[in-house]
Amino acid sequence: MTRRYNSEGIAREDLLVALRTPRQVKMARSTNACLLCCASNVNEAGLCNVCYSLLNGEELNLACRWLAGLGP
């Protein structure tokens, strides 16, 4: 079963791949739509504040790299 927060966002299990793909993160940032839930006001990792707060482990490490300006 695929878990999605929004039918237009990516599945949570695909987030690691998305955060490793600069094109996907840049698209989320340019459209100002969260990778997971499609909410607006995304950060440098392409995630809204709510979805960013739910990250852990490797997802959080990759998102922090984006926030620091280092990319994947």
Side-chain angles (χ1 to χ4, degrees), residues 25-38:
V25 173
K26 289 177 184 176
M27 179 65 78
R29 289 168 47 186
S30 68
T31 59
N32 197 30
C34 177
L35 287 167
L36 292 174
C37 72
C38 297

Side-chain angles (χ1 to χ4, degrees), residues 4 8 13 17 19 27 31 34 36 39 41 44 51 67 70:
R4 295 178 188 260
E8 295 178 13
E13 58 264 16
V17 173
L19 289 173
M27 179 65 78
T31 59
C34 177
L36 292 174
N41 298 322
E44 290 80 4
C51 290
L67 295 178
L70 300 174

Side-chain angles (χ1 to χ4, degrees), residues 16 19 52 55-65 67:
L16 281 175
L19 289 173
Y52 178 75
L55 301 182
N56 56 39
E58 186 63 20
E59 295 171 339
L60 182 57
N61 290 338
L62 285 170
C64 287
R65 288 185 55 81
L67 295 178

